[in-house]
């Protein structure tokens, strides 16, 4: 990502034109554009004390992703790859900044079905054991679990999570990751009328981690 905000402004304007005119399809490689929603001078994603050019970069990047979110499920479809690319570099994207970015992205798809996203992100935990994943971010599994914890589960996405349990079960011994998963599941259980959902998951989790 270029350090010059004017270069990023030009790139974002051009990218927005290409995407809105269906010349270019969104891919996970939009990670650099997503990072433009964050203030480069702060690790928490807040915008105080940034220049007018930096604020314009943030506005343009946010509008770019809003435009993508209006095109059916396009943003939903690229989210797993996008998230994986964003959290590869902890120094560039500290966890507080990642959390801020996740909230912005998910607010744009809160009316979309997230079943596939839940399934793919649960399966991506397998990637967390690879050197290429942890070389620049040893806490990448925390990023994944936080992202999942911010998704509002439905009964159907819950079943996909349950079926993907073997991928992330080894990580549930970590208190932070366990807490993230239990938080999102508990929220679903408190609102679902499905008895199967209420009784089927937590015993499976306990069996896997003991």
């Amino acid at each position: 990502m270029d350090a010059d905000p004017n270069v990023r402004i030009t790139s974002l304007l051009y990218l927005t034109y290409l995407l809105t005119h269906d010349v270019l399809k969104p891919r996970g490689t939009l990670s650099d554009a997503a990072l433009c929603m964050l203030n480069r001078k702060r690790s928490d994603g807040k915008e105080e004390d940034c220049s007018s050019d930096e604020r314009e970069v943030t506005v343009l990047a946010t509008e770019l992703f809003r435009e993508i979110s209006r095109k059916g499920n396009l943003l939903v479809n690229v989210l797993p790859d996008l998230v994986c690319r964003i959290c590869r570099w902890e120094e560039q994207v500290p966890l507080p900044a990642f959390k801020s970015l996740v909230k912005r992205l998910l607010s744009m798809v809160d009316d979309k079905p997230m079943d596939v996203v839940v399934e793919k992100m649960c399966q991506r935990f397998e990637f967390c054991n690879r050197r290429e994943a942890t070389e620049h971010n040893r806490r990448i599994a925390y990023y994944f679990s936080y992202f999942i914890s911010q998704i509002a589960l439905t009964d159907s996405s819950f079943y996909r999570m349950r079926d993907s349990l073997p991928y992330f079960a080894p990580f549930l011994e970590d208190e932070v990751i366990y807490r993230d998963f239990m938080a999102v599941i508990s929220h679903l259980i408190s609102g679902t009328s499905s008895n199967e959902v209420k009784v089927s998951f937590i015993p499976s989790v306990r069996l896997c981690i003991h």
Side-chain angles (χ1 to χ4, degrees), residues 142 145-146 149 175-185:
Y142 288 175
S145 66
Y146 174 79
S149 76
E175 182 180 353
V176 172
I177 295 173
Y178 180 84
R179 187 169 60 244
D180 282 342
F181 273 94
M182 289 303 102
V184 69
I185 294 167

Side-chain angles (χ1 to χ4, degrees), residues 52-170:
S52 59
D53 286 342
E54 290 290 349
R55 285 194 291 271
E56 185 175 357
V57 168
T58 300
V59 169
L60 288 172
T62 302
E63 185 55 32
L64 167 63
F65 280 90
R66 284 192 180 130
E67 287 294 332
I68 296 174
S69 71
R70 296 183 184 113
K71 291 181 171 291
N73 291 325
L74 281 179
L75 182 54
V76 171
N77 293 339
V78 301
L79 266 180
D81 286 339
L82 185 62
V83 168
C84 287
R85 290 174 184 272
I86 288 171
C87 61
R88 290 281 293 274
W89 304 84
E90 184 178 16
E91 183 176 348
Q92 184 180 9
V93 189
L95 189 54
F98 176 75
K99 290 180 177 181
S100 174
L101 187 55
V102 164
K103 289 178 180 178
R104 293 190 186 198
L105 289 170
L106 289 180
S107 70
M108 300 177 191
V109 294
D110 57 5
D111 60 338
K112 308 288 186 182
M114 298 291 284
D115 296 9
V116 174
V117 175
V118 171
E119 180 180 38
K120 287 186 176 180
M121 287 307 302
C122 287
Q123 293 174 355
R124 293 293 173 91
F125 271 88
E126 186 176 42
F127 175 69
C128 295
N129 285 321
R130 300 178 187 174
R131 184 176 180 275
E132 61 182 297
T134 59
E135 183 177 6
H136 300 289
N137 188 356
R138 294 183 179 180
R139 301 197 301 163
I140 192 170
Y142 288 175
Y143 286 59
F144 285 11
S145 66
Y146 174 79
F147 176 77
I148 292 171
S149 76
Q150 298 304 297
I151 298 175
L153 290 183
T154 62
D155 290 357
S156 57
S157 58
F158 163 81
Y159 292 128
R160 295 202 182 202
M161 176 183 284
R162 182 192 63 184
D163 293 343
S164 301
L165 181 58
Y167 292 96
F168 63 87

